[in-house]
Amino acid sequence: MEFAEMIRTGQAQAELLRGPEEPPLRGTLCITGHHLLLSPGPQATPDLWLLLLRNVDSIEKRVAGDSGTITLRCKDLRVLQLDIEGVEATLDIARSIEALSSLESVITSFPFFYRPKGLRLGDAWHFHPPECYYKRVARETNAWRLSEANEDFSLCPSYPRAVIVPRAVDDSAVARSARFRQGGRFPVLSYYHAPSGTVLLRAGQPLTGPQKRRCSEDEELLRAVLAGARPGARGFIVDTRSPQAAKQARMTGGGTEAKAAYPGWKRLHRPLERGRPLQESFVRLVEACGDLEQSMDRWLNRLESCRWLSHVKETLSTACLAAQSMEQEGACILVHGAEGTDSTLLITSLAQLILDPLSRTMAGFQELIEREWVQAGHPFQLRCAHSAFSHARPKHEAPTFLLFLDCVWQLGRQFPLSLEFGEGMLLALFDHAYASPFGTFLCNNEKERCLCEVRTRTHSLWSGLSQPKEQRKLRNPLYVPNPLAIWPSAEPQSLRLWQGLFLRGTRPPEPSEVAWEKVWQIVTDQEKTEGSQPTDSASEPGP
Amino acid sequence: MSLLRGLLGMELIGMWEKLFLDCQERFALLDSALILDVPLGVISRIEKMGGATSRGENSYGLDITCKDLRNLRFALKQEGHSRRDMFEILTRYAFPLAHSLPIFAFLNEEKFNVDGWTVYNPVEEYRRQGLPNHHWRITFINKCYKLCDTYPALLVVPYRASDEDLRRVATFRSRNRIPVLSWIHPENKTVIVRCSQPLVGMSGKRNKEDERYLDVIRETNRQVNKLTIYDARPNVNAVANKATGGGYESDDVYHNAELFFLDIHNIHVMRESLKKVKDIVYPNVEESHWLSSLESTHWLEHIKLVLTGAIQVADRVSSGKSSVVVHCSDGWDRTAQLTSLAMLMLDSFYRSIEGFEILVQKEWISFGHKFASRIGHGDKNHADADRSPIFLQFIDCVWQMSKQFPTAFEFNERFLITILDHLYSCRFGTFLYNCESAREKQKVTERTVSLWSLINSNKDKFKNPFYTKEINRVLYPVASMRHLELWVNYYIRWNPRIKQQQPNPVEQRYMELLALRDEYIKRLDELQLANSAKLSDPSASPSSPSQMMPHVQTHF
C-alpha cells in the first residue's frame, strides 16, 4: 500500500504527555497508515493509546542531545507532547506524521478501512432519507411534494437527490429556478411549522447580476409558497449579508430579490460573519484560551476582542428572528446568503431547534444534522480541513458548524431540561466533524459522497453513537420533553464561553461530568425501581 | 407587601396602591404586570425628582435607590401633594434610626417552628473541632467584653498563654483584637488564627509579649519551624498604616515568622468597584462592550484576589502543615473573608446548610464584622464612608466555589441569594449591629427572629440535589479569571429582560431532582416494606411525579 512509503520508521520509545490532569504514558510508539499508536508495554495496563493522524492540525519538533520532542496540536483542540528517544527516530516520526496527516484523498481515508465489531456496513445511513422528512410534512399539509428533479445531481450538486418543493410548481419550473440561483440552490423546504402552518425555506442567492435579471419560475415558486401556506400569509427573506454586500454581489453575477418581483415577500438583512473572519476569530479564541503564561488581567478584554461570542450572539438573534416571525407573525421565511451553504444553514437549523420539540430529541437532533447540514450540502471537507492550530494558509476553512454547536450549547445552558442530548454529544460532533473514523462528515455534498460510495463503504457516525456504551456520555439525564418553543436570550450577559470545549485542557478540578454522573445515578435509580417493580405488588399503600 | 402592611398599617397601603398603579402604568411598556415587594430595609436613599412645574411624562415623582443594586422610580401626578406625604412616610419607616423608631426586626412577630438562634453555640462548635486540647484552651476573659469590645465573649487561645499575657498582647493589637484560634486541622493540628494589625507605628515599636505569644502559637505545632502570617493588604497599604500607628510584623523582630501580603484592597476600593458593576447592569446592560466593561469594574479581579488569598491560607494549613495567622488592619473585613473561605475549603462541615450558618455566625457575626456600619441598617446616611460590600463579596466567592464544585455544597443558589436579601431587609435580627456586645445589650436574640429560623424551617427549598457528602475533602477552586464569572442571577436579576426568565429553569431542575430523589427513596422504602410484608395489591401502579415544566419565554 502507498502509505508504506510515507512511514519512515518502525517504532521508537516515547513518553506521552496529555495535559496537566492526566499522568504521562510511556511505551513504544509506532505509526500506521492512519494512526499513531503508543503501546505501554506488557506490565502496564493493556490499553493502547491511539490517535487518528487526520486529527493532527499542526506538528512541531525539537531535538536536543539524543532525544527529541514532538508537540502535536490536534483538530479537537487537544495538545499532546511526545518525548522520543533518538534524534533520528524523532525526525522520522515527525516527517511521517506530517505526510500522513495531510493526505487529501477521501477514498484512502480511515473511514474506508474502519470495520468496528458490532456494526454492519450500511446500517444507519438510511435512517434519514429525504422521503422520511417529507412524510412528516405530508401528514400536515398537501401543499408540498417531493421532487426528484435533482436525481442525477444535474440541477444542483450540493442538494440531495430528492427535495421538497411546492406542489403547484412542476419540475421544469424548478429546473429554471435552479439556473437562477447560485450553485443551483433553488428555494426548497427546510422545515414545516405545523402550529402556525408556515414554512422555513433556504436557497442560494438569486443571480440577478448587474442587469437585474429576473426569473419568472423563481418568482412563481415563491408565490406558490405563500399561496400554499394560508390565505394572506406574508413572507420574509432573511438575507445573511449586509445590504451593501448584497448589492455588491450583483457585480459578480449574484444579488438579491427585487422587491417588485416578489410581491408579499419582504427582505431583511442580518449580516453574519463567515469564511475567513470567522476562522480567524476561532483561531484567536483558541490561542487566547491556550495562552497560560500571559498575565490574565486582561482576559475579558481579550475574550471580547476575539469576537467569537458576538458571532454567537448575532447567530442566535437572527435564528430567533426567523423563528419568531414564523411562530408569532405567521410568516414564511426564506433564508439565504451567497452560496446558501453556511450561515444559511446555521439559521435554518437553529430556528428548528427553537421551534420544533422533535429536533431536540436525540434522534431528532441527528436527523436535523443529517438533513440540514450533511445533505443540505455544507462543505465539511473544505470547512473542516484545518482547525485552529494549522499554520497552513487558510483556503476554505471556516468553523460554521462549530458555531452552530456553540449556539446549541448556549441553548442547552439556558434550557437545561429541554434538550435530550448533552454537552458530550456536541463535543463528539465537533470532534467527528474534524477527524473521524466514521464517514458521515466526509466530502462536501451528496454528489461527491455518491461518487466515493461513502454510504456503502463507510460506517455512519449515527450507528457509532447509538452503541449503548456511548449513551451516558451523550444524553442529558435531566431531559423532560418540552412541547413549547424555547426562546433563548442572546443578551451578552446570557452568553458564556463554552468552557467544556475551549478550555478542554485547563478544566476546573471538578468537571461537570461528576455532577452529571450523580444525576444519572438519581435518574437510573428511579428507573431501576420502576423496572424492578413486581407487577403484582404495590408501590403505594392502598387507599 | 406583607412587610409594608406590618410596619405601616393601612395608611400607606392606600397610597401604595396608588403608587402601584402608577408604576404599573410606567412599566406597562415592558408588558408585564409588575409586582413589587420591596422590604423598606433595602432602601438606601429616597429622592424627589422634578418639581411642581416639571413638564413631560414621568418627570415628577420619587427615585428610590436600593442597596441590592436596583433603583425604583415612581412617577406621580403633580396635583394633590401626594408626593410630600409619601416621601415623609417612606423616609420615616425606611430610616427608623433617624426618627428614633425601632428597626423592623424588633416589631416583626413572625413565628417559625425552629429557632435559628440555637444554630450556633460556640462551645459546641469548638468541641466539634476537638477543642479544648492540650495546646489550646477556651477562655472567658472577654466575658464582659472588657478585653476587646468587638470580639465574642468566648475565645480559644494557646494553653501556655496566661490571661495576663493576653491583656498585654491586647495593648499591642489594633482595637485589642488579639490573635485567637478560628480553626484547627483535625489531623495535623495546624491552626488558623485571626487578629488585627500590630501597633508598630512609625517608630517601629515592639512588644515582647506579642512576639512571645506568636511564638507560643507556632510551638503548638512542631512540624514546621516557621509561623506563616498573611497580611491581607497590599504591601504599600500596610506600610502606610504605620503612619496611623499600625503596621505589620517585620521579620527582623518576629524571627520565627514569615510574612506574606495578599494584595486585597480596602473597603473603599470594593465599594467603588461594585458601584461600577451597578452602572453596567442597571437599568440597562452595557451591551456593546459587555466583557471589557465588566473587566473595567475590576469586580471579578477582586474576587480572584480574595479567593487566591484564601486558597493560600488553606494550602498552607493543609499541605504546608504550617499554622497561619491572618490579619488586615482591624481584622474584621478582609480577615473574615479569608478565614471563612479557607475554612470552607478545608472543612466539609461548613458546606452543609447548618455548617454554613455556623460559619457565618462565627467568623462574621460573632467576630465583629461591622454589619451595621457596612450595610447601614435603617440609617439615612447613604454616602457614609463605612459602607462596603465585603460580605456580599464573600458570598460571591462562595457562589464561585459552588459553581466549580457542583456536588460539594448542600445549599443552592437560592440559599445564598436569600442570605443576601436579608442582609438588608431588617426582617431578622441576624445581621443587626456591629458586634456581639452591642447585640447582647439590645437583647437581639430575645427580641428578634433569626434568619436561620426562616431557612431551617423550610430547608428543602435551599438544598442542592447534586450534593454528595464527603468528609476530609479539601476544595481548591481555580481562581483564574477564565473560570470566574459574573453572578448574573444575583447582580442582573432586576433587569426586566432577565426577570422574564423566572422561575429560573435551574431552580426548576433543582426542585424536580429533589422530588425525583425523594420519590426514589420513598419508593425504595416502600418496596422493601412491600417485599418483607409480601403485600399484594394488583390495582395500584406506580406513578411518576409530574415532570412537565413549561419554560417561560425569554425576550431577546
Side-chain angles (χ1 to χ4, degrees):
Chain A
M1 194 159 60
E2 58 197 303
F3 300 128
E5 297 153 24
M6 297 182 215
I7 301 172
R8 327 256 312 205
T9 182
Q11 53 188 54
Q13 290 304 309
E15 184 171 68
L16 169 72
L17 301 167
R18 289 170 293 176
E21 305 289 312
E22 292 185 77
L25 213 61
R26 281 198 63 82
T28 310
L29 189 72
C30 48
I31 292 189
T32 71
H34 295 109
H35 287 99
L36 190 62
L37 295 111
L38 189 81
S39 105
Q43 71 277 37
T45 44
D47 277 4
L48 197 69
W49 178 85
L50 205 71
L51 177 76
L52 199 57
L53 287 170
R54 169 125 191 109
N55 197 349
V56 175
D57 207 28
S58 88
I59 169 165
E60 208 181 281
K61 52 180 186 284
R62 233 179 26 240
V63 288
D66 54 359
S67 68
T69 299
I70 294 180
T71 305
L72 298 175
R73 292 191 167 77
C74 297
K75 288 175 180 164
D76 60 16
L77 308 185
R78 281 183 299 168
V79 179
L80 307 166
Q81 189 185 315
L82 285 163
D83 295 325
I84 300 167
E85 285 173 21
V87 173
E88 230 12 72
T90 307
L91 295 176
D92 282 345
I93 286 171
R95 265 181 241 129
S96 315
I97 295 176
E98 261 163 34
L100 288 163
S101 64
S102 55
L103 287 179
E104 285 189 2
S105 150
V106 173
I107 51 165
T108 60
S109 67
F110 184 60
F112 285 87
F113 301 89
Y114 182 50
R115 295 292 174 263
K117 263 183 278 174
L119 291 186
R120 267 185 320 137
L121 271 182
D123 240 4
W125 280 113
H126 301 292
F127 284 176
H128 314 291
E131 288 79 9
C132 190
Y133 186 66
Y134 175 68
K135 267 188 211 140
R136 224 186 111 187
V137 176
R139 275 200 297 272
E140 306 284 349
T141 168
N142 64 359
W144 296 84
R145 68 187 179 87
L146 192 70
S147 163
E148 296 187 355
N150 195 39
E151 210 200 338
D152 53 358
F153 304 109
S154 59
L155 292 187
C156 173
S158 63
Y159 272 170
R161 293 165 180 280
V163 289
I164 305 172
V165 297
R167 185 171 296 283
V169 178
D170 63 25
D171 279 356
S172 65
V174 165
R176 250 164 282 161
S177 168
R179 259 174 265 138
F180 182 63
R181 293 277 174 175
Q182 167 131 24
R185 292 175 72 90
F186 50 94
V188 295
L189 180 128
S190 153
Y191 168 60
Y192 179 79
H193 188 50
S196 63
T198 57
V199 293
L200 183 62
L201 308 164
R202 49 181 161 75
Q205 65 176 339
L207 300 174
T208 47
Q211 284 89 37
K212 300 192 181 172
R213 284 200 311 133
R214 289 176 59 168
C215 167
S216 59
E217 288 81 1
D218 191 73
E219 292 163 20
E220 182 197 325
L221 196 157
L222 287 192
R223 207 162 36 240
V225 168
L226 294 187
R230 53 184 183 84
R234 287 186 305 154
F236 291 116
I237 296 171
V238 177
D239 193 323
T240 62
R241 301 164 296 177
S242 68
Q244 296 80 355
K247 209 174 224 170
Q248 231 163 24
R250 285 221 303 268
M251 306 315 294
T252 49
T256 187
E257 292 82 355
K259 209 174 169 189
Y262 297 88
W265 288 89
K266 194 179 159 209
R267 219 170 57 222
L268 303 167
H269 289 277
R270 287 292 177 277
L272 296 179
E273 207 61 87
R274 65 200 80 210
R276 179 79 60 91
L278 196 60
Q279 176 74 10
E280 280 164 6
S281 170
F282 174 41
V283 170
R284 274 203 306 273
L285 177 63
V286 170
E287 209 175 88
C289 290
D291 187 357
L292 294 175
E293 271 132 57
Q294 246 220 334
S295 145
M296 275 295 108
D297 293 348
R298 308 274 293 160
W299 164 247
L300 292 177
N301 263 292
R302 190 156 174 200
L303 183 59
E304 181 173 281
S305 67
C306 296
R307 297 196 34 86
W308 181 260
L309 284 174
S310 30
H311 299 319
V312 171
K313 173 184 157 64
E314 296 305 327
T315 307
L316 272 177
S317 58
T318 307
C320 282
L321 171 84
Q324 196 186 30
S325 311
M326 293 175 74
E327 164 102 346
Q328 279 154 24
E329 294 174 41
C332 295
I333 305 287
L334 167 64
V335 187
H336 71 70
E339 291 93 351
T341 55
D342 289 277
S343 49
T344 303
L345 305 181
L346 262 179
I347 301 311
T348 58
S349 53
L350 284 170
Q352 291 179 55
L353 273 168
I354 293 170
L355 293 174
D356 181 10
L358 268 182
S359 71
R360 295 178 224 135
T361 63
M362 194 72 173
F365 186 58
Q366 293 177 10
E367 191 263 352
L368 182 77
I369 287 172
E370 180 73 27
R371 180 164 53 84
E372 286 298 290
W373 287 90
V374 177
Q375 294 177 22
H378 177 66
F380 279 99
Q381 181 99 1
L382 291 172
R383 297 291 181 259
C384 302
H386 291 290
S387 175
F389 292 121
S390 170
H391 302 300
R393 227 173 67 95
K395 286 178 287 204
H396 304 287
E397 289 80 0
T400 324
F401 187 61
L402 168 61
L403 184 55
F404 164 72
L405 295 175
D406 197 332
C407 291
V408 178
W409 180 83
Q410 308 279 353
L411 266 177
R413 207 189 69 84
Q414 293 186 25
F415 297 92
L417 310 173
S418 297
L419 305 181
E420 194 181 9
F421 47 92
E423 183 179 40
M425 177 72 177
L426 302 174
L427 289 172
L429 287 171
F430 168 73
D431 295 348
H432 285 284
Y434 280 85
S436 173
F438 297 99
T440 299
F441 295 119
L442 288 180
C443 302
N444 291 305
N445 53 48
E446 286 297 284
K447 187 182 179 181
E448 289 180 16
R449 251 167 241 129
C450 218
L451 287 172
C452 298
E453 300 172 272
V454 168
R455 284 178 197 264
T456 48
R457 294 177 51 199
T458 74
H459 285 288
S460 153
L461 175 62
W462 314 131
S463 333
L465 296 185
S466 66
Q467 302 286 83
K469 66 174 164 45
E470 302 287 326
Q471 292 300 301
R472 265 210 185 192
K473 274 190 284 179
L474 307 174
R475 283 178 185 271
N476 171 12
L478 300 179
Y479 174 65
V480 178
N482 174 357
L484 303 175
I486 50 172
W487 300 106
S489 160
E491 306 286 329
Q493 74 276 7
S494 305
L495 304 177
R496 292 281 180 290
L497 176 70
W498 183 5
Q499 293 195 348
L501 175 66
F502 293 109
L503 298 179
R504 258 182 169 180
T506 55
R507 317 209 57 177
E510 182 170 281
S512 50
E513 283 93 43
V514 182
W516 288 134
E517 195 43 47
K518 171 89 183 154
V519 181
W520 270 118
Q521 270 168 25
I522 297 175
V523 173
T524 48
D525 280 349
Q526 202 231 2
E527 280 163 7
K528 240 185 282 164
T529 49
E530 265 173 15
S532 68
Q533 195 78 58
T535 44
D536 60 349
S537 91
S539 72
E540 284 158 326
Chain B
M1 290 294 273
S2 59
L3 290 182
L4 275 167
R5 195 170 289 129
L7 195 67
L8 304 172
M10 292 309 288
E11 194 181 4
L12 192 72
I13 291 300
M15 261 190 295
W16 181 250
E17 270 161 12
K18 221 189 294 174
L19 200 134
F20 177 68
L21 279 180
D22 280 328
C23 77
Q24 200 175 29
E25 239 173 66
R26 183 172 157 65
F27 283 92
L29 291 169
L30 302 168
D31 79 325
S32 61
L34 186 84
I35 299 168
L36 268 179
D37 185 357
V38 185
L40 292 172
V42 101
I43 295 175
S44 142
R45 175 185 199 181
I46 308 170
E47 283 172 298
K48 295 176 186 165
M49 53 168 192
T53 54
S54 294
R55 291 275 169 268
E57 224 182 323
N58 303 338
S59 64
Y60 177 84
L62 289 176
D63 195 84
I64 298 175
T65 310
C66 297
K67 293 167 181 169
D68 60 355
L69 270 83
R70 60 179 159 165
N71 280 39
L72 302 168
R73 182 169 278 213
F74 297 105
L76 303 169
K77 298 207 169 58
Q78 269 123 322
E79 57 264 22
H81 299 291
S82 62
R83 182 173 75 171
R84 197 183 52 206
D85 298 346
M86 198 180 308
F87 178 80
E88 271 165 22
I89 290 174
L90 272 177
T91 307
R92 212 173 138 82
Y93 292 108
F95 309 123
L97 292 191
H99 299 85
S100 333
L101 290 168
I103 280 177
F104 179 63
F106 291 101
L107 305 172
N108 186 8
E109 290 178 355
E110 276 175 289
K111 295 268 183 289
F112 293 96
N113 54 19
V114 288
D115 180 10
W117 291 122
T118 62
V119 164
Y120 177 58
N121 175 335
V123 174
E124 264 174 42
E125 164 57 14
Y126 288 121
R127 189 177 301 144
R128 186 192 68 85
Q129 294 190 21
L131 298 168
N133 62 17
H134 53 276
H135 284 301
W136 296 92
R137 66 185 176 101
I138 290 178
T139 172
F140 294 92
I141 186 176
N142 201 35
K143 199 173 156 204
C144 304
Y145 308 104
K146 289 240 174 69
L147 178 76
C148 171
D149 59 354
T150 57
Y151 261 4
L154 195 146
L155 298 169
V156 176
V157 295
Y159 195 81
R160 285 175 51 206
S162 69
D163 284 1
E164 198 43 47
D165 292 338
L166 301 180
R167 285 194 193 94
R168 294 224 183 90
V169 172
T171 61
F172 192 63
R173 289 279 164 178
S174 175
R175 298 175 198 272
N176 304 334
R177 293 172 68 93
I178 59 167
V180 295
L181 181 144
S182 270
W183 189 77
I184 183 162
H185 194 285
E187 276 138 37
N188 68 29
K189 303 297 174 196
T190 53
V191 294
I192 298 177
V193 166
R194 62 181 292 171
C195 58
S196 62
Q197 63 182 341
L199 298 174
V200 176
M202 294 299 272
S203 57
K205 265 186 290 184
R206 293 179 57 169
N207 180 304
K208 281 269 173 260
E209 283 77 16
D210 191 75
E211 291 161 26
R212 174 79 202 116
Y213 184 75
L214 289 193
D215 222 36
V216 166
I217 291 174
R218 179 184 63 85
E219 283 167 2
T220 61
N221 158 45
R222 296 187 181 277
Q223 293 160 88
V224 180
N225 51 15
K226 287 261 181 187
L227 178 70
T228 309
I229 302 174
Y230 284 109
D231 187 327
R233 300 167 293 183
N235 194 345
V236 283
N237 296 29
V239 173
N241 257 288
K242 286 185 173 179
T244 50
Y248 54 89
E249 296 84 354
S250 72
D251 47 8
D252 35 313
V253 175
Y254 293 83
H255 299 291
N256 294 324
E258 282 178 292
L259 178 75
F260 300 94
F261 293 100
L262 294 176
D263 286 324
I264 302 169
H265 286 277
N266 63 24
I267 60 166
H268 311 292
V269 174
M270 301 310 179
R271 181 180 58 237
E272 293 314 309
S273 174
L274 185 67
K275 214 170 259 169
K276 284 186 197 152
V277 172
K278 182 172 177 180
D279 287 344
I280 65 162
V281 301
Y282 197 90
N284 294 308
V285 172
E286 169 61 47
E287 285 208 12
S288 50
H289 297 286
W290 166 246
L291 293 174
S292 46
S293 314
L294 178 60
E295 188 142 73
S296 67
T297 68
H298 297 293
W299 183 253
L300 289 176
E301 211 179 302
H302 296 313
I303 296 279
K304 184 185 97 172
L305 284 169
V306 173
L307 272 175
T308 309
I311 291 168
Q312 288 187 56
V313 173
D315 185 52
R316 200 70 175 183
V317 167
S318 175
S319 325
K321 299 195 170 38
S322 162
S323 287
V324 166
V325 174
V326 182
H327 71 72
C328 45
S329 299
D330 289 320
W332 50 43
D333 292 309
R334 287 167 276 196
T335 300
Q337 288 180 331
L338 290 169
T339 56
S340 55
L341 284 170
M343 286 156 75
L344 199 60
M345 292 169 193
L346 292 164
D347 190 339
S348 61
F349 170 71
Y350 297 123
R351 297 174 216 141
S352 65
I353 288 181
E354 290 212 7
F356 191 76
E357 293 167 357
I358 287 170
L359 183 70
V360 169
Q361 203 71 48
K362 176 178 184 304
E363 287 302 298
W364 290 85
I365 298 172
S366 83
F367 271 97
H369 173 67
K370 300 203 294 173
F371 280 104
S373 304
R374 298 288 174 260
I375 308 301
H377 296 122
D379 186 355
K380 72 173 200 292
N381 189 4
H382 61 85
D384 195 307
D386 253 345
R387 307 278 180 269
S388 189
I390 300 301
F391 186 74
L392 163 64
Q393 197 171 44
F394 159 69
I395 296 287
D396 192 330
C397 290
V398 176
W399 178 81
Q400 304 280 356
M401 281 179 69
S402 73
K403 286 299 269 188
Q404 294 191 16
F405 300 95
T407 64
F409 294 86
E410 192 192 6
F411 47 83
N412 60 19
E413 185 176 53
R414 180 198 276 243
F415 175 75
L416 297 176
I417 292 180
T418 305
I419 291 176
L420 288 177
D421 282 345
H422 295 297
L423 174 64
Y424 309 117
S425 76
C426 296
R427 183 170 150 196
F428 302 101
T430 304
F431 296 116
L432 298 182
Y433 301 103
N434 280 335
C435 54
E436 202 175 279
S437 60
R439 251 167 251 127
E440 202 143 287
K441 215 161 113 198
Q442 299 294 336
K443 299 194 167 52
V444 168
T445 54
E446 293 159 43
R447 295 168 59 208
T448 71
V449 181
S450 161
L451 167 60
W452 317 129
S453 305
L454 169 86
I455 286 174
N456 294 354
S457 62
N458 197 357
K459 262 193 185 167
D460 272 355
K461 247 169 85 179
F462 304 103
K463 275 187 182 165
N464 168 16
F466 306 141
Y467 177 55
T468 316
K469 201 168 170 180
E470 284 169 303
I471 321 281
N472 297 337
R473 177 175 175 218
V474 182
L475 305 184
Y476 292 116
V478 179
S480 131
M481 283 295 280
R482 286 159 217 252
H483 294 286
L484 300 179
E485 48 180 277
L486 185 74
W487 188 5
V488 169
N489 286 349
Y490 181 74
Y491 297 106
I492 319 191
R493 63 182 164 151
W494 305 122
N495 186 296
R497 288 171 179 215
I498 289 287
K499 201 140 167 52
Q500 290 284 324
Q501 275 184 333
Q502 301 291 336
N504 179 342
V506 177
E507 206 163 279
Q508 287 178 18
R509 178 177 69 175
Y510 280 5
M511 298 309 278
E512 278 181 22
L513 269 170
L514 276 171
L516 213 59
R517 195 182 59 181
D518 292 349
E519 181 80 3
Y520 156 63
I521 292 168
K522 198 177 106 202
R523 211 170 283 176
L524 201 71
D525 287 350
E526 282 164 2
L527 261 176
Q528 282 166 350
L529 201 74
N531 286 348
S532 61
K534 300 251 186 281
L535 276 178
S536 132
D537 177 2
S539 66
S541 67
S543 67
S544 68
S546 166
Q547 296 173 358
M548 195 66 79
M549 293 272 190
H551 289 297
V552 176
Q553 293 190 358
T554 62
H555 285 245
F556 52 89

